[in-house]
Amino acid sequence: MTTLEPHPFAIRPYEPTDEPTWVRCRVLAFLSTQYYDDVWPRRPDVVAPSFGLVAVDVEGQVLGLLDITVDGDEATIDSVATHPDHQSRGIGAALLEVAVERLARADITRLDAWTREDQAANSWYRRNGFSEAFQYLHVHLEDGNDAEGFTTPAGFSSPVRAFVHAGIEREQELRERFARVYVCRQYVRDLSAGTPIETSIESAD
């Protein structure tokens, strides 16, 4: 258990019994971000060597989560979230520190993550040893948008909603056409370099 007060937390591997509060934590954390509709009713299965970590309070309630997919000598952050009532306590950075130590023991040399334009998320990755490596666009077709160029199989209506990727060079064109266009950024951390993680209780999660 950490010594951060007044609400201490412990970091440990995810357990199946964590799923209800894991889902709640992720939904509530994402609700105030540009991923507000990326809702999962259950946690996806994670198969070793991929793994998940949780930060829990004394009652076992999930306050923060971090899921990582491992592929060869590289890894990707699939989900990272801190419950809104417990943000700015360093929970995200503490989860990341434990994960990086585990990845280093497994000889993983590269950890990446993808995020949109939320300032808090981008600042968090930069503070914690990541560098931006790539950009592309997330484009949402919403009800009422012009669906020209979108197709569906015979017998179906034109799309009502859709989510697609596009090249960053089309940003201006697509922003003029659709209300929900986000720059998606890839952040990469070279684990072989031993970049230290900033663990500050005031850091945004």
Side-chain angles (χ1 to χ4, degrees), residues 182-202:
Y182 306 116
V183 176
C184 183
R185 293 177 169 85
Q186 180 193 34
Y187 282 95
V188 176
R189 177 168 169 173
D190 180 4
L191 302 185
S192 65
T195 306
I197 299 172
E198 175 184 313
T199 52
S200 169
I201 192 170
E202 284 80 28

Side-chain angles (χ1 to χ4, degrees), residues 170-179 181:
R170 300 186 61 192
E171 181 177 4
Q172 181 175 347
E173 166 204 348
L174 294 173
R175 286 193 185 277
E176 291 174 356
R177 184 175 171 192
F178 302 103
V181 177

Side-chain angles (χ1 to χ4, degrees), residues 4 9 88-98 100-101 120 122-130 189 194-205:
L4 293 179
F9 60 87
S88 300
R89 295 179 54 208
I91 290 175
L95 284 162
L96 181 61
E97 182 176 19
V98 173
V100 166
E101 291 173 354
N122 284 267
S123 296
W124 185 84
Y125 282 113
R126 289 192 293 267
R127 283 199 309 275
N128 285 285
F130 291 81
R189 177 168 169 173
T195 306
I197 299 172
E198 175 184 313
T199 52
S200 169
I201 192 170
E202 284 80 28
S203 62
D205 292 286

Side-chain angles (χ1 to χ4, degrees), residues 38-180:
D38 184 21
V39 175
W40 299 348
R42 61 177 300 273
R43 179 179 182 264
D45 293 332
V46 176
V47 180
S50 303
F51 62 92
L53 300 172
V54 290
V56 297
D57 63 14
V58 293
E59 297 178 347
Q61 302 292 300
V62 174
L63 308 181
L65 61 96
L66 177 64
D67 279 0
I68 291 182
T69 295
V70 177
D71 184 8
D73 62 353
E74 299 184 354
T76 297
I77 294 177
D78 286 332
S79 285
V80 57
T82 301
H83 190 290
D85 292 344
H86 298 276
Q87 292 176 357
S88 300
R89 295 179 54 208
I91 290 175
L95 284 162
L96 181 61
E97 182 176 19
V98 173
V100 166
E101 291 173 354
R102 178 167 172 169
L103 292 169
R105 291 195 300 270
D107 296 323
I108 305 301
T109 60
R110 183 178 184 270
L111 176 63
D112 74 354
W114 301 82
T115 194
R116 290 179 178 170
E117 300 168 4
D118 296 289
Q119 183 177 353
N122 284 267
S123 296
W124 185 84
Y125 282 113
R126 289 192 293 267
R127 283 199 309 275
N128 285 285
F130 291 81
S131 299
E132 187 175 336
F134 182 73
Q135 296 182 353
Y136 70 104
L137 299 176
H138 285 176
V139 182
H140 286 258
L141 169 72
E142 298 289 309
D143 188 16
N145 287 159
D146 177 11
E148 181 182 356
F150 288 84
T151 60
T152 55
F156 289 86
S157 69
S158 60
V160 175
R161 299 187 68 192
F163 167 59
V164 296
H165 297 167
I168 191 68
E169 69 278 0
R170 300 186 61 192
E171 181 177 4
Q172 181 175 347
E173 166 204 348
L174 294 173
R175 286 193 185 277
E176 291 174 356
R177 184 175 171 192
F178 302 103
R180 292 186 64 193

